[in-house]
Short mmCIF file of all heavy atoms in Angstrom, two decimals:
data_model
loop_
_atom_site.label_atom_id
_atom_site.label_comp_id
_atom_site.label_asym_id
_atom_site.label_seq_id
_atom_site.Cartn_x
_atom_site.Cartn_y
_atom_site.Cartn_z
N ALA A 516 68.01 40.31 135.05
CA ALA A 516 66.94 41.11 134.43
C ALA A 516 65.63 40.31 134.33
O ALA A 516 65.15 40.01 133.24
CB ALA A 516 67.39 41.59 133.05
N GLN A 517 65.07 39.98 135.48
CA GLN A 517 63.90 39.10 135.52
C GLN A 517 62.61 39.75 135.01
O GLN A 517 61.67 39.06 134.64
CB GLN A 517 63.69 38.60 136.97
CG GLN A 517 64.85 37.75 137.50
CD GLN A 517 65.02 36.49 136.67
OE1 GLN A 517 64.08 35.79 136.33
NE2 GLN A 517 66.28 36.17 136.33
N ARG A 518 62.58 41.08 135.01
CA ARG A 518 61.36 41.78 134.53
C ARG A 518 61.46 42.20 133.07
O ARG A 518 60.55 42.83 132.54
CB ARG A 518 61.10 43.02 135.38
CG ARG A 518 60.72 42.71 136.82
CD ARG A 518 60.28 43.96 137.52
NE ARG A 518 59.87 43.69 138.91
CZ ARG A 518 59.36 44.60 139.74
NH1 ARG A 518 59.17 45.84 139.32
NH2 ARG A 518 59.02 44.26 140.96
N LEU A 519 62.57 41.90 132.44
CA LEU A 519 62.81 42.38 131.10
C LEU A 519 61.80 41.82 130.10
O LEU A 519 61.64 40.61 129.99
CB LEU A 519 64.23 42.03 130.67
CG LEU A 519 64.77 42.67 129.38
CD1 LEU A 519 64.74 44.19 129.51
CD2 LEU A 519 66.16 42.16 129.08
N LEU A 520 61.12 42.71 129.37
CA LEU A 520 60.12 42.32 128.37
C LEU A 520 60.65 42.44 126.95
O LEU A 520 60.30 41.64 126.08
CB LEU A 520 58.87 43.18 128.52
CG LEU A 520 58.09 43.11 129.81
CD1 LEU A 520 56.96 44.14 129.82
CD2 LEU A 520 57.49 41.70 129.99
N VAL A 521 61.48 43.48 126.71
CA VAL A 521 61.84 43.76 125.35
C VAL A 521 63.19 44.47 125.30
O VAL A 521 63.51 45.29 126.18
CB VAL A 521 60.74 44.59 124.62
CG1 VAL A 521 60.45 45.87 125.37
CG2 VAL A 521 61.09 44.88 123.17
N VAL A 522 63.98 44.16 124.25
CA VAL A 522 65.26 44.79 124.03
C VAL A 522 65.27 45.47 122.66
O VAL A 522 64.82 44.87 121.67
CB VAL A 522 66.42 43.76 124.09
CG1 VAL A 522 67.74 44.40 123.71
CG2 VAL A 522 66.50 43.14 125.48
N GLY A 523 65.76 46.70 122.63
CA GLY A 523 65.93 47.42 121.38
C GLY A 523 67.43 47.51 121.07
O GLY A 523 68.19 47.98 121.90
N ILE A 524 67.82 47.03 119.90
CA ILE A 524 69.23 47.00 119.51
C ILE A 524 69.44 48.05 118.42
O ILE A 524 68.89 47.94 117.33
CB ILE A 524 69.65 45.62 119.00
CG1 ILE A 524 69.25 44.53 120.04
CG2 ILE A 524 71.15 45.57 118.74
CD1 ILE A 524 69.26 43.14 119.48
N THR A 525 70.21 49.08 118.74
CA THR A 525 70.36 50.18 117.80
C THR A 525 71.39 49.89 116.71
O THR A 525 71.34 50.46 115.62
CB THR A 525 70.73 51.48 118.54
OG1 THR A 525 71.94 51.27 119.29
CG2 THR A 525 69.62 51.90 119.49
N LYS A 526 72.35 49.01 117.03
CA LYS A 526 73.35 48.59 116.03
C LYS A 526 73.59 47.07 116.26
O LYS A 526 73.69 46.62 117.39
CB LYS A 526 74.65 49.33 116.17
CG LYS A 526 74.58 50.83 115.93
CD LYS A 526 75.92 51.49 116.15
CE LYS A 526 75.83 52.98 115.95
NZ LYS A 526 77.12 53.66 116.23
N MET A 527 73.68 46.34 115.16
CA MET A 527 73.90 44.90 115.35
C MET A 527 74.61 44.37 114.12
O MET A 527 74.14 44.50 112.98
CB MET A 527 72.56 44.17 115.50
CG MET A 527 72.67 42.69 115.79
SD MET A 527 71.03 41.96 116.10
CE MET A 527 71.43 40.23 116.18
N SER A 528 75.79 43.79 114.29
CA SER A 528 76.55 43.29 113.16
C SER A 528 76.01 41.94 112.72
O SER A 528 75.42 41.23 113.51
CB SER A 528 78.02 43.15 113.56
OG SER A 528 78.17 42.10 114.49
N PRO A 529 76.18 41.60 111.45
CA PRO A 529 75.68 40.33 110.92
C PRO A 529 76.21 39.11 111.66
O PRO A 529 75.59 38.05 111.67
CB PRO A 529 76.12 40.34 109.47
CG PRO A 529 76.33 41.79 109.14
CD PRO A 529 76.82 42.41 110.39
N SER A 530 77.40 39.27 112.24
CA SER A 530 78.04 38.12 112.91
C SER A 530 77.45 37.86 114.31
O SER A 530 77.70 36.80 114.89
CB SER A 530 79.54 38.37 113.03
OG SER A 530 79.80 39.49 113.84
N GLU A 531 76.71 38.83 114.84
CA GLU A 531 76.17 38.67 116.20
C GLU A 531 74.96 37.77 116.19
O GLU A 531 74.14 37.78 115.27
CB GLU A 531 75.78 40.02 116.78
CG GLU A 531 76.94 40.90 117.18
CD GLU A 531 76.46 42.17 117.85
OE1 GLU A 531 75.86 43.02 117.16
OE2 GLU A 531 76.69 42.32 119.06
N SER A 532 74.82 36.96 117.22
CA SER A 532 73.63 36.12 117.38
C SER A 532 72.95 36.46 118.70
O SER A 532 73.61 36.86 119.67
CB SER A 532 74.01 34.64 117.36
OG SER A 532 74.91 34.35 118.42
N LEU A 533 71.64 36.34 118.74
CA LEU A 533 70.88 36.67 119.93
C LEU A 533 71.08 35.60 121.01
O LEU A 533 71.07 34.41 120.70
CB LEU A 533 69.40 36.78 119.60
CG LEU A 533 69.00 38.01 118.80
CD1 LEU A 533 67.63 37.81 118.18
CD2 LEU A 533 69.04 39.24 119.64
N PRO A 534 71.22 36.01 122.26
CA PRO A 534 71.36 35.04 123.36
C PRO A 534 70.14 34.12 123.43
O PRO A 534 68.98 34.58 123.27
CB PRO A 534 71.46 35.91 124.61
CG PRO A 534 71.89 37.24 124.13
CD PRO A 534 71.29 37.40 122.76
N LEU A 535 70.37 32.83 123.64
CA LEU A 535 69.29 31.88 123.82
C LEU A 535 68.38 32.31 124.95
O LEU A 535 67.17 32.04 124.96
CB LEU A 535 69.87 30.49 124.11
CG LEU A 535 68.87 29.34 124.27
CD1 LEU A 535 68.05 29.15 122.99
CD2 LEU A 535 69.60 28.05 124.64
N PHE A 536 68.94 33.04 125.94
CA PHE A 536 68.20 33.54 127.08
C PHE A 536 66.94 34.29 126.67
O PHE A 536 65.90 34.19 127.31
CB PHE A 536 69.14 34.47 127.90
CG PHE A 536 68.49 35.12 129.09
CD1 PHE A 536 68.52 34.51 130.35
CD2 PHE A 536 67.87 36.36 128.98
CE1 PHE A 536 67.95 35.12 131.45
CE2 PHE A 536 67.29 36.97 130.08
CZ PHE A 536 67.34 36.34 131.32
N PHE A 537 67.02 35.09 125.59
CA PHE A 537 65.88 35.89 125.15
C PHE A 537 64.68 35.00 124.84
O PHE A 537 63.55 35.28 125.24
CB PHE A 537 66.23 36.70 123.90
CG PHE A 537 67.11 37.90 124.16
CD1 PHE A 537 67.54 38.20 125.44
CD2 PHE A 537 67.46 38.76 123.12
CE1 PHE A 537 68.35 39.29 125.69
CE2 PHE A 537 68.26 39.87 123.37
CZ PHE A 537 68.70 40.13 124.64
N ARG A 538 64.93 33.92 124.09
CA ARG A 538 63.84 33.03 123.74
C ARG A 538 63.32 32.26 124.95
O ARG A 538 62.14 32.05 125.13
CB ARG A 538 64.29 32.06 122.63
CG ARG A 538 64.57 32.75 121.31
CD ARG A 538 64.91 31.76 120.21
NE ARG A 538 65.11 32.43 118.93
CZ ARG A 538 66.26 32.94 118.52
NH1 ARG A 538 67.32 32.87 119.29
NH2 ARG A 538 66.35 33.55 117.34
N GLU A 539 64.26 31.82 125.78
CA GLU A 539 63.86 31.04 126.96
C GLU A 539 63.00 31.84 127.93
O GLU A 539 62.15 31.26 128.61
CB GLU A 539 65.11 30.54 127.68
CG GLU A 539 65.89 29.47 126.92
CD GLU A 539 67.18 29.09 127.64
OE1 GLU A 539 67.62 29.87 128.52
OE2 GLU A 539 67.75 28.02 127.31
N LYS A 540 63.20 33.14 127.98
CA LYS A 540 62.44 34.01 128.89
C LYS A 540 61.31 34.76 128.20
O LYS A 540 60.63 35.59 128.82
CB LYS A 540 63.38 34.99 129.57
CG LYS A 540 64.44 34.34 130.45
CD LYS A 540 63.79 33.60 131.63
CE LYS A 540 64.84 32.98 132.55
NZ LYS A 540 64.23 32.24 133.68
N GLY A 541 61.09 34.52 126.92
CA GLY A 541 60.01 35.20 126.22
C GLY A 541 60.22 36.68 126.03
O GLY A 541 59.27 37.48 126.03
N ILE A 542 61.50 37.08 125.84
CA ILE A 542 61.84 38.50 125.68
C ILE A 542 61.88 38.82 124.18
O ILE A 542 62.55 38.16 123.40
CB ILE A 542 63.21 38.80 126.30
CG1 ILE A 542 63.17 38.55 127.82
CG2 ILE A 542 63.65 40.23 126.01
CD1 ILE A 542 64.52 38.56 128.50
N ALA A 543 61.14 39.85 123.79
CA ALA A 543 61.14 40.29 122.39
C ALA A 543 62.37 41.15 122.15
O ALA A 543 62.84 41.88 123.02
CB ALA A 543 59.88 41.10 122.09
N ALA A 544 62.92 41.07 120.92
CA ALA A 544 64.05 41.91 120.55
C ALA A 544 63.78 42.52 119.18
O ALA A 544 63.29 41.83 118.27
CB ALA A 544 65.33 41.08 120.49
N PHE A 545 64.04 43.82 119.05
CA PHE A 545 63.80 44.54 117.80
C PHE A 545 65.08 45.23 117.37
O PHE A 545 65.83 45.75 118.20
CB PHE A 545 62.71 45.57 117.95
CG PHE A 545 61.34 44.98 118.24
CD1 PHE A 545 60.89 44.81 119.54
CD2 PHE A 545 60.50 44.59 117.20
CE1 PHE A 545 59.64 44.28 119.81
CE2 PHE A 545 59.24 44.07 117.47
CZ PHE A 545 58.81 43.90 118.77
N GLN A 546 65.29 45.27 116.06
CA GLN A 546 66.48 45.94 115.54
C GLN A 546 66.20 46.43 114.12
O GLN A 546 66.34 45.70 113.15
CB GLN A 546 67.69 44.99 115.55
CG GLN A 546 69.04 45.67 115.36
CD GLN A 546 69.46 45.74 113.92
OE1 GLN A 546 69.28 44.79 113.14
NE2 GLN A 546 70.04 46.85 113.52
N ASP A 547 65.69 47.67 114.06
CA ASP A 547 65.52 48.34 112.76
C ASP A 547 65.34 49.83 113.01
O ASP A 547 65.44 50.29 114.15
CB ASP A 547 64.36 47.73 111.95
CG ASP A 547 62.99 47.97 112.59
OD1 ASP A 547 62.88 48.77 113.53
OD2 ASP A 547 62.01 47.32 112.16
N SER A 548 65.07 50.60 111.96
CA SER A 548 64.95 52.06 112.11
C SER A 548 63.73 52.48 112.92
O SER A 548 63.66 53.62 113.38
CB SER A 548 64.91 52.71 110.73
OG SER A 548 63.81 52.20 109.97
N SER A 549 62.77 51.59 113.06
CA SER A 549 61.55 51.91 113.81
C SER A 549 61.51 51.20 115.17
O SER A 549 60.42 50.88 115.68
CB SER A 549 60.32 51.51 113.01
OG SER A 549 60.30 52.16 111.75
N VAL A 550 62.67 50.96 115.76
CA VAL A 550 62.73 50.12 116.98
C VAL A 550 61.86 50.66 118.11
O VAL A 550 61.18 49.88 118.77
CB VAL A 550 64.20 49.94 117.43
CG1 VAL A 550 64.83 51.25 117.85
CG2 VAL A 550 64.30 48.91 118.54
N THR A 551 61.83 51.97 118.33
CA THR A 551 61.07 52.51 119.46
C THR A 551 59.57 52.36 119.22
O THR A 551 58.82 52.00 120.14
CB THR A 551 61.44 53.98 119.71
OG1 THR A 551 62.84 54.06 120.04
CG2 THR A 551 60.65 54.57 120.87
N LYS A 552 59.12 52.62 118.00
CA LYS A 552 57.71 52.42 117.68
C LYS A 552 57.31 50.97 117.90
O LYS A 552 56.23 50.66 118.40
CB LYS A 552 57.41 52.84 116.24
CG LYS A 552 57.47 54.35 116.01
CD LYS A 552 57.14 54.67 114.56
CE LYS A 552 57.22 56.17 114.32
NZ LYS A 552 56.92 56.50 112.90
N ARG A 553 58.20 50.05 117.51
CA ARG A 553 57.87 48.63 117.66
C ARG A 553 57.86 48.21 119.12
O ARG A 553 57.02 47.39 119.53
CB ARG A 553 58.87 47.79 116.86
CG ARG A 553 58.84 48.09 115.36
CD ARG A 553 59.41 46.96 114.54
NE ARG A 553 59.58 47.38 113.16
CZ ARG A 553 58.58 47.52 112.28
NH1 ARG A 553 57.34 47.25 112.65
NH2 ARG A 553 58.81 47.91 111.02
#
């Protein structure tokens, strides 16, 4: 996913951690009730 800019997570358990890949590639990740607006 070389063009990936942003990920929206609709459900995420407290035990889950974000892949280091997101930070290394400058990919934003959002997870709340306003995910699409963000």
Side-chain angles (χ1 to χ4, degrees):
Q517 296 299 315
R518 293 189 179 184
L519 191 59
L520 297 174
V521 57
V522 174
I524 308 164
T525 57
K526 296 178 182 178
M527 184 175 173
S528 69
S530 62
E531 286 185 291
S532 59
L533 288 164
L535 182 61
F536 177 90
F537 285 2
R538 293 184 176 87
E539 290 176 343
K540 296 296 182 181
I542 298 169
F545 294 93
Q546 195 269 319
D547 65 13
S548 58
S549 302
V550 64
T551 299
K552 289 181 181 178
R553 299 202 190 284

